[in-house]
Amino acid sequence: MIPPQEASARRREIEDKLKQEEETLSFIRDSLEKSDQLTKNMVSILSSFESRLMKLENSIIPVHKQTENLQRLQENVEKTLSCLDHVISYYHVASDTEKIIREGPTGRLEEYLGSMAKIQKAVEYFQDNSPDSPELNKVKLLFERGKESLESEFRSLMTRHSKVVSPVLILDLISGDDELEVQEDVALEHLPESVLQDVIRISRWLVEYGRNQDFMNVYYQIRSSQLDRSIKGLKEHFRKSSSSSAVPYSPAIPNKRKDTPTKKPPKRPGTIRKAQNLLKQYSQHGLDGKKGGSNLIPLEGHEHDFRVKHLSEALNDKHGPLAGRDDMLDVETDAYIHCVSAFVKLAQSEYQLLADIIPEHHQKKTFDSLIQDALDGLMLEGENIVSAARKAIIRHDFSTVLTVFPILRHLKQTKPEFDQVLQGTAASTKNKLPGLITSMETIGAKALEDFADNIKNDPDKEYNMPKDGTVHELTSNAILFLQQLLDFQETAGAMLASQVLGDTYNIPLDPRETSSSATSYSSEFSKRLLSTYICKVLGNLQLNLLSKSKVYEDPALSAIFLHNNYNYILKSLEKSELIQLVAVTQKTAERSYREHIEQQIQTYQRSWLKVTDYITEKNLPVFQSGVKLRDKERQMIKERFKGFNDGLEELCKIQKAWAIPDTEQRDKIRQAQKNIVKETYGAFLHRFGNVSFTKNPDKYIKYQVEQVGDMIDRLFDTSA
């Protein structure tokens, strides 16, 4: 059982908790009542607010709608007024722009184009909205007048500011390809930058809005004239330089000039300049003797020796006395070569200018028209060169044909640039240069073949033969001509190959030696073809010299003549590089010439037999020492001395007037002959000098051995 005290305590505790719970419950009830009251108040307030909002909305919405309508009406009014102003402005365009159009675009292009834009819009408006209105005709007329003014301004700008390119600037432009040192590129300013921009804007407007292509014709006509005049000016520059004895500035020599060109001599293709001058001198007489032959006075003795010596020196002297004179004689050739290079550079520059001004789809056609006059002028001049060469061949003046070689070589070297410049032009334009190259190759091949034939068929004329037996002009002509081919081996080989001369020379043509082009051959084949040609010329020359040598009545002089010519040929071949070219097809050529030379020396030496035969052992009388000579024996000894003396004097007198230009050969022949005669005469004199065969020994023993040697030392020397 729970004790009473503990039960009483628990009851009091429970009662206290119950009392607390009742108080809490009473607080909650009070709070709920207050909350309900607040809720009722809030609902009442919200209901009142909703009612007021509804009243406000019912009042504002009509006002808003009315305001919106008013704003729309205002916008419509403003748009209507703006449209009216815009339309009205079209009616004022003519009056507002007429003064500007009348005064033209000069100096005010921006403003002028702005006015033209206004006029164009007016035209479009009236065409769409009022096609029958008089205002349309007015603005149309104004637009056409403005367009004509723009066309006139385009022509005026191009005419006033397109200047001929000076020769000095062109030469600087060309020199950029040949200079070894890096330098600033030479730029051509055909038009000032401001003018160029105006021209570009006008051209674009005319294409886009003017629907006009006539300005393109104006453009190419003006620029074509300037291009043609620039090239002609360069040619005239060369002519004036030649007439004033000044060497024209040439791009062939690197030049670091800035403002004023340094006049340096143009680069010469080998020795062709000197040889042309010399060959002109000879060709005036004609290799076949048909022209001027009666006026040719053969040079004698050392006069001819002097000529041959200087001809030989001229072949290798690039700075000799002939150089300046040849520069002047060949100014036309130099001018043409430079004009070809100038055309390429100027045409490239013209296309760059044209690309900025002319619409892309019209550029090729306009450029084709632009370059025609200058290109036709170059081609015509080239054909004139071919024609002159053809006439020269008929006259057998082969020096003129030599001008074709450097020109043809330059045309071939320039052809890739030509082809690049002419891309997109008409086929007839592209084919002009290849046609000229073909013509030059054909005439060159004709000249080479005719030259070989003339060497073979040059007649034997006594008055044309050197009286001293020195080198014949035919030989010097042939060697001079052949030496020019060294600097033009590929060009000359191509000339021969272009005519399919391989069959003529029996050279098998390997398909690998040709490209797709019928006239493009390998350098090795061209070299063999040229070597064969040179051998043919030398063979023809040798046969002709043999024939000419028969003109001489004296076999010894004939031998000296052949010796001199063979020796001149051999030394010329060796001095140049012709011998290497000949060796391509004739390995034994050098040995063969040496054998011919030695053979002629032996033939010459036989001329002394009629002198030495008098005193040789086999022809001497036999007698015993100490025994008195009989009259017959004494007479025989006298005859031997007299025959030797007379023969020696006669030969020395005759042969002293002969010439052997080569000092080494002259000394060799003299020494060999001196040794033979001195030895024979010494033995004879030793045997009979002390024999009493006459009362007057001085009459027969006229010369001592050393005197005989001295006389022979004076052979081939007219000054002795």
Side-chain angles (χ1 to χ4, degrees), residues 119-132:
I119 297 172
Q120 184 180 8
K121 290 180 180 178
V123 171
E124 293 173 353
Y125 171 79
F126 288 120
Q127 284 179 336
D128 293 338
N129 298 280
S130 184
D132 297 328

Side-chain angles (χ1 to χ4, degrees), residues 469-488:
T470 190
V471 179
H472 195 279
E473 68 182 52
L474 178 69
T475 303
S476 57
N477 280 350
I479 295 300
L480 282 168
F481 190 89
L482 293 180
Q483 284 180 327
Q484 311 322 306
L485 304 184
L486 286 174
D487 293 302
F488 303 96

Side-chain angles (χ1 to χ4, degrees), residues 64-77:
H64 175 71
K65 289 182 178 178
Q66 186 177 6
T67 302
E68 187 179 34
N69 290 334
L70 288 174
Q71 288 177 342
R72 188 179 296 110
L73 288 173
Q74 183 179 1
E75 289 177 359
N76 289 338
V77 169

Side-chain angles (χ1 to χ4, degrees), residues 456-478:
K456 179 180 180 180
N457 300 320
D458 184 65
D460 306 326
K461 293 190 176 181
E462 294 184 14
Y463 63 80
N464 199 28
M465 295 293 290
K467 295 180 180 180
D468 55 4
T470 190
V471 179
H472 195 279
E473 68 182 52
L474 178 69
T475 303
S476 57
N477 280 350

Side-chain angles (χ1 to χ4, degrees), residues 40-289:
K40 289 179 182 179
N41 291 338
M42 180 59 70
V43 170
S44 176
I45 292 171
L46 290 174
S47 297
S48 175
F49 185 70
E50 182 180 6
S51 175
R52 289 179 181 181
L53 282 177
M54 289 181 65
K55 289 180 182 180
L56 180 61
E57 183 178 355
N58 291 333
S59 299
I60 291 300
I61 287 176
V63 175
H64 175 71
K65 289 182 178 178
Q66 186 177 6
T67 302
E68 187 179 34
N69 290 334
L70 288 174
Q71 288 177 342
R72 188 179 296 110
L73 288 173
Q74 183 179 1
E75 289 177 359
N76 289 338
V77 169
E78 289 177 351
K79 288 181 179 180
T80 301
L81 290 174
S82 176
C83 287
L84 286 173
D85 290 340
H86 183 67
V87 170
I88 292 172
S89 68
Y90 288 132
Y91 286 86
H92 295 288
V93 165
S95 59
D96 292 343
T97 60
E98 184 175 8
K99 181 180 178 182
I100 296 174
I101 300 302
R102 184 175 64 252
E103 293 176 351
T106 303
R108 52 196 291 183
L109 182 61
E110 192 69 29
E111 181 183 6
Y112 193 89
L113 292 178
S115 297
M116 289 299 294
K118 292 179 182 179
I119 297 172
Q120 184 180 8
K121 290 180 180 178
V123 171
E124 293 173 353
Y125 171 79
F126 288 120
Q127 284 179 336
D128 293 338
N129 298 280
S130 184
D132 297 328
S133 65
E135 286 78 7
L136 175 60
N137 294 331
K138 190 173 183 180
V139 291
K140 270 188 173 182
L141 182 62
L142 197 59
F143 182 82
E144 291 299 323
R145 186 187 304 169
K147 185 171 71 171
E148 291 175 0
S149 294
L150 283 173
E151 293 172 1
S152 177
E153 179 69 6
F154 182 89
R155 179 188 293 273
S156 176
L157 288 174
M158 291 300 301
T159 302
R160 284 188 287 114
H161 296 282
S162 291
K163 304 297 182 184
V164 173
V165 183
S166 70
V168 171
L169 188 56
I170 294 176
L171 292 172
D172 278 343
L173 184 68
I174 299 173
S175 69
D177 291 341
D178 298 321
E179 292 194 4
L180 301 178
E181 299 180 4
V182 177
Q183 69 164 21
E184 297 180 1
D185 292 335
V186 179
L188 289 181
E189 185 182 65
H190 294 290
L191 298 172
E193 184 61 28
S194 59
V195 174
L196 176 60
Q197 294 304 319
D198 286 350
V199 169
I200 291 173
R201 292 203 62 186
I202 294 174
S203 69
R204 290 178 179 174
W205 189 94
L206 289 173
V207 171
E208 185 174 356
Y209 302 109
R211 305 293 189 270
N212 188 328
Q213 297 182 5
D214 292 342
F215 77 94
M216 300 180 196
N217 296 332
V218 172
Y219 177 85
Y220 91 71
Q221 289 169 0
I222 294 174
R223 293 308 308 169
S224 175
S225 175
Q226 299 304 323
L227 175 62
D228 191 41
R229 289 171 60 192
S230 296
I231 294 176
K232 289 179 178 177
L234 177 62
K235 185 176 181 181
E236 187 64 25
H237 172 74
F238 274 83
R239 289 178 176 172
K240 288 181 179 179
S241 298
S242 66
S243 62
S244 61
S245 300
V247 180
Y249 171 65
S250 172
I253 303 296
N255 184 21
K256 299 179 181 179
R257 68 171 300 280
K258 292 293 182 182
D259 301 315
T260 304
T262 302
K263 293 184 177 180
K264 294 187 177 182
K267 184 178 180 181
R268 293 302 176 200
T271 58
I272 193 167
R273 305 299 189 239
K274 302 174 184 63
Q276 279 183 317
N277 191 35
L278 296 171
L279 282 175
K280 284 177 182 177
Q281 174 186 349
Y282 291 136
S283 61
Q284 288 174 354
H285 306 294
L287 289 177
D288 60 355

